Amino acid sequence: MGTFHAIGIDKDSDGALVTAAKLGDSQAFDELVFRHQQKILAMAQRITNNREDAEDVVQESFHKAFLHLNNFQEKSRFSTWLTRIAMNEAFILLRRRRRVFEVLPGSPDDEAKSSSEAFVDQSPNPEESCWRRERTELLTKAINRLGPKIRSTILLRDIEERSVEETAQILGTSITAVKARVFQGRRKLRGTLNPRLLQEVYAAGPG
């Protein structure tokens, strides 16, 4: 991992590492893991709401990415191919344990264009950080009571803060369907959460 990490390849150059990894360079794949594991862990923990489960998802996701790397056609970024793998692994884990989540539908190259940015708590102090975690926990519990398709859409739009276009690509559906699910999901959330709390959540962003 030292060679690639040391030369400071920029964050949009995953393609060079993917190419090297496909040619058998284990350090290149190690660098991909180094770059993306924290973002994938944060996303997995949002879905599973359990640190150990999230760590299992990350491990399995990178294992599958390594095994199937030669099948990755590079029609868009590695980070979003990995995001789809990780989301599917998290949904599969929850479906196996709780029988509530659906696996994402397939799409070309099994990926979608994505910002690959996971939320990072930047609270200014412990008290605010605690409140933001409590606020997000309330939102997450409410989201978990939604149907699978709406739940996945709201998770991507309002927790992961993906764009409408990115959400549609990741879920393998249309922009119109995403907008409809967001509308339905937020309407249902308004019926289960305190309106003032919900307004504060969306005004401040997920915590």
Side-chain angles (χ1 to χ4, degrees):
M1 182 166 65
T3 303
F4 284 93
H5 188 51
I7 64 178
I9 295 176
D10 69 70
K11 67 180 181 180
D12 295 321
S13 65
D14 283 353
L17 294 172
V18 170
T19 298
K22 284 183 175 182
L23 293 174
D25 191 326
S26 61
Q27 290 184 342
F29 190 82
D30 286 346
E31 174 65 14
L32 290 170
V33 174
F34 177 83
R35 289 182 177 192
H36 298 291
Q37 60 184 349
Q38 290 303 316
K39 295 174 183 177
I40 295 300
L41 177 63
M43 184 203 68
Q45 193 161 352
R46 291 288 192 191
I47 296 174
T48 63
N49 199 32
N50 181 284
R51 177 78 179 193
E52 291 184 1
D53 285 347
E55 290 174 348
D56 288 344
V57 167
V58 171
Q59 183 175 1
E60 186 64 21
S61 297
F62 279 111
H63 178 63
K64 286 194 173 181
F66 179 78
L67 290 178
H68 300 289
L69 190 62
N70 286 332
N71 296 327
F72 173 44
Q73 299 175 29
E74 301 180 59
K75 292 181 180 178
S76 60
R77 287 187 278 179
F78 172 82
S79 61
T80 50
W81 180 64
L82 181 62
T83 296
R84 283 189 61 83
I85 292 174
M87 288 189 72
N88 272 323
E89 288 304 310
F91 290 168
I92 288 170
L93 184 150
L94 287 180
R95 190 177 187 182
R96 184 168 61 242
R97 294 188 179 181
R98 307 176 190 171
R99 299 181 179 273
V100 292
F101 274 97
E102 293 181 348
V103 177
L104 296 180
S107 65
D109 212 12
D110 195 28
E111 66 166 358
K113 184 178 180 182
S114 164
S115 65
S116 75
E117 294 297 327
F119 177 80
V120 177
D121 189 356
Q122 297 177 342
S123 303
N125 56 65
E127 182 179 353
E128 174 63 14
S129 177
C130 181
W131 164 236
R132 292 182 67 175
R133 284 195 299 270
E134 290 177 358
R135 186 174 58 201
T136 301
E137 183 177 353
L138 289 173
L139 178 62
T140 302
K141 286 181 179 178
I143 290 173
N144 284 340
R145 290 193 290 267
L146 300 172
K149 291 182 179 179
I150 294 178
R151 179 166 52 237
S152 299
T153 305
I154 291 292
L155 174 70
L156 287 167
R157 287 288 290 125
D158 294 341
I159 298 296
E160 292 293 313
E161 298 183 285
R162 309 280 179 161
S163 70
V164 173
E165 292 78 10
E166 291 164 351
T167 300
Q169 291 174 329
I170 289 174
L171 294 177
T173 190
S174 68
I175 290 176
T176 299
V178 167
K179 290 180 177 179
R181 291 175 191 174
V182 168
F183 175 79
Q184 293 175 38
R186 289 177 178 172
R187 182 180 61 186
K188 291 180 179 180
L189 289 175
R190 284 195 296 270
T192 59
L193 288 175
N194 182 295
R196 295 180 63 180
L197 173 62
L198 190 61
Q199 183 179 14
E200 184 177 351
V201 167
Y202 284 119

